[in-house]
Amino acid sequence: MAESLHARLTLKSRCPAGPVLAAHQRRRRPIRSSGRLYGPGGCGCALLMAPVMALSVGIALMLMGMAVLAVVALVVAIVLTVRELRRASDGSPARTGMIALISALYLLSVPYLVFFAWFWFVD
């Protein structure tokens, strides 16, 4: 059924509160662009979080760089251990400085790699 012209001009809304006359409704003004950039909602939050995100990316890169150094130290410790074992199997005496260096490399690399694996893959 089509509404009458009178009903369309006078009754603009069929809400439960009752009809509203068309003359009393506010008309929306067209949006005028201004020179300012304004984003309601998330713009302020993104600007506040930008330094936090930059810091977290920097920390993540630092942790990954230290993990690479720990892997290199672990490889060097393994190579030095194999060389020292071959030297000891030939009958040469053990070198105290080399054993201390190998121990220090293991103590520096293995705990950090365990922490890194836990931090990135478990937590």
Side-chain angles (χ1 to χ4, degrees):
M1 281 195 229
E3 289 182 347
S4 68
L5 179 62
H6 177 72
R8 278 188 281 156
L9 291 177
T10 57
L11 304 175
K12 203 67 167 166
S13 170
R14 293 179 190 236
C15 66
V20 178
L21 293 175
H24 293 277
Q25 284 188 344
R26 282 184 61 176
R27 294 187 181 197
R28 294 185 180 198
R29 287 187 254 163
I31 298 174
R32 294 182 185 137
S33 65
S34 65
R36 295 180 296 173
L37 175 66
Y38 175 69
C43 185
C45 182
L47 290 176
L48 288 174
M49 289 302 293
V52 176
M53 291 302 295
L55 181 65
S56 64
V57 168
I59 290 172
L61 289 175
M62 180 194 66
L63 289 173
M64 282 189 258
M66 289 183 65
V68 168
L69 288 176
V71 167
V72 169
L74 183 63
V75 168
V76 168
I78 292 170
V79 168
L80 291 177
T81 301
V82 169
R83 284 187 184 174
E84 200 61 28
L85 287 174
R86 283 187 187 159
R87 189 171 184 273
S89 67
D90 291 340
S92 301
R95 297 183 287 186
T96 312
M98 191 61 99
I99 294 174
L101 176 65
I102 293 170
S103 300
L105 286 174
Y106 278 122
L107 287 175
L108 289 175
S109 63
V110 172
Y112 183 77
L113 288 174
V114 170
F115 163 75
F116 183 79
W118 173 78
F119 184 75
W120 282 100
F121 301 113
V122 175
D123 188 31

